[in-house]
Amino acid sequence: MPDGRPALIQIVSLQRDGRQEETKLRQTYSGALHSLPQGPGLAYTETDGQGTDTRVLLAREAEGIRLRRQGLCSTDLLLAPGQERASAYETPYGTMELTVRTHEAVWLADERSTHVRLRYDVYVAGELLSQNEVRVACRAKP
């Protein structure tokens, strides 16, 4: 991926599992704003408690918003409002087939900032695995 403009990216996520237990996370990352062939993108790297990195790309495309995670566990989701899509979650133990139902995928940008809102449900073998809400706020570093 070509070098982008350095950016500060804040992610707020709320996840409810099938039992409606909630996990809320708020993280801030140094990342980059990219101009990709299919549209704008945001890229950053998450590091977990064991020091394992996961590269994350959010990109606006004609059909919706792509969420790609590459690391120890990887997935590639195209989130398009009102659509249900098959996907895969690759782990060191094998691949899990997923179905993703998207309720909201919004990308708003101006000269100073980018905001992304995602709301989607993930199913495994027809059973609800999680309901997810993600809010992203990004601004280019001066």
Side-chain angles (χ1 to χ4, degrees), residues 7 34 50 93 100 111 128 141:
H34 295 278
Q50 287 77 38
Y93 310 104
V100 179
E111 296 293 319
L128 179 65
K141 289 182 179 178

Side-chain angles (χ1 to χ4, degrees), residues 50-92:
Q50 287 77 38
T52 303
D53 287 344
T54 299
R55 292 181 314 279
V56 180
L57 171 69
L58 280 167
R60 188 173 73 189
E61 297 185 2
E63 292 184 62
I65 297 174
R66 181 162 306 276
L67 170 58
R68 182 176 294 146
R69 300 175 56 77
Q70 295 178 302
L72 187 60
C73 295
S74 300
T75 191
D76 186 354
L77 307 174
L78 180 57
L79 302 164
Q83 293 188 17
E84 190 172 285
R85 294 180 181 255
S87 189
Y89 185 65
E90 298 172 12
T91 76

Side-chain angles (χ1 to χ4, degrees), residues 2-134:
D3 290 345
R5 295 183 317 180
L8 192 61
I9 302 169
Q10 183 178 63
I11 312 287
V12 177
S13 65
L14 175 64
Q15 184 178 65
R16 289 180 201 88
D17 66 17
R19 297 182 309 252
Q20 296 300 304
E21 293 180 14
E22 292 186 359
T23 302
K24 186 172 185 175
L25 296 172
R26 179 184 303 264
Q27 298 287 336
T28 302
Y29 301 96
S30 285
L33 285 162
H34 295 278
S35 186
L36 306 170
Q38 69 272 20
L42 306 174
Y44 62 95
T45 300
E46 296 177 352
T47 304
D48 69 13
Q50 287 77 38
T52 303
D53 287 344
T54 299
R55 292 181 314 279
V56 180
L57 171 69
L58 280 167
R60 188 173 73 189
E61 297 185 2
E63 292 184 62
I65 297 174
R66 181 162 306 276
L67 170 58
R68 182 176 294 146
R69 300 175 56 77
Q70 295 178 302
L72 187 60
C73 295
S74 300
T75 191
D76 186 354
L77 307 174
L78 180 57
L79 302 164
Q83 293 188 17
E84 190 172 285
R85 294 180 181 255
S87 189
Y89 185 65
E90 298 172 12
T91 76
Y93 310 104
T95 300
M96 186 180 343
E97 299 300 320
L98 307 174
T99 300
V100 179
R101 184 176 300 148
T102 305
H103 303 286
E104 181 179 31
V106 176
W107 187 291
L108 303 168
D110 61 27
E111 296 293 319
R112 295 182 311 257
S113 64
T114 299
H115 296 273
V116 179
R117 291 191 316 264
L118 303 170
R119 202 165 43 87
Y120 59 96
D121 301 336
V122 178
Y123 295 83
V124 175
E127 296 291 321
L128 179 65
L129 179 65
S130 64
Q131 297 171 307
N132 303 276
E133 295 179 36
V134 180

